[in-house]
Amino acid sequence: QVQLVESGGGLVQAGGSLRLSCAASGSIFSINAMGWYRQAPGKQRELVADITSGGSTNYADSVKGRFTISRDNAKNTVYLQMNSLKPEDTAVYYCNCNARPVNYKFSTYWGQGTQVTVSS
């Protein structure tokens, strides 16, 4: 139906930057919101940022002013530009979307996750 493949994670020093990408593929009829979540060890998965098909964005308070979410609707791809990274940003980052495959209803899909590690 819909597959999400993330890329761009890695190890970076505090204050550095990373850019995550997530491409959706499959028999896609339409995609509504796309977003990024993260889960640190021992913690619950939390919303980092999301973006509607029209471009409206929403951010967690902890990343406002440092992270920017964007999307390319023609490529079914969502990006997360992360600047001024802090050690507390260390987590597995998951891509998420609400999509409708051809001949199916809207459902929520998740990527496999990409590790982001910020060293102090």
Side-chain angles (χ1 to χ4, degrees):
Q1 297 182 358
V2 178
Q3 296 81 41
L4 298 175
V5 178
E6 300 123 334
S7 61
L11 173 64
V12 65
Q13 288 188 333
S17 299
L18 283 174
R19 188 189 193 214
L20 305 182
S21 300
C22 172
S25 63
S27 300
I28 299 171
F29 180 80
S30 178
I31 300 179
N32 285 340
M34 302 185 79
W36 290 94
Y37 287 70
R38 67 186 181 187
Q39 188 167 18
K43 295 187 177 181
Q44 290 188 332
R45 190 173 297 188
E46 63 176 0
L47 173 69
V48 176
D50 58 21
I51 182 169
T52 67
S53 57
S56 296
T57 58
N58 176 50
Y59 294 92
D61 287 342
S62 59
V63 306
K64 283 181 180 177
R66 300 189 297 122
F67 291 9
T68 302
I69 190 170
S70 60
R71 66 188 281 176
D72 184 332
N73 290 331
K75 296 181 179 180
N76 291 332
T77 299
V78 62
Y79 306 95
L80 185 68
Q81 177 66 43
M82 304 185 293
N83 298 328
S84 302
L85 282 161
K86 304 176 181 179
E88 50 263 45
D89 294 318
T90 295
V92 177
Y93 284 70
Y94 296 92
C95 177
N96 159 285
C97 77
N98 181 251
R100 180 187 168 192
V102 175
N103 297 324
Y104 288 86
K105 299 178 181 179
F106 276 101
S107 295
T108 298
Y109 297 89
W110 292 91
Q112 80 285 358
T114 186
Q115 177 70 46
V116 171
T117 302
V118 184
S119 62
S120 57

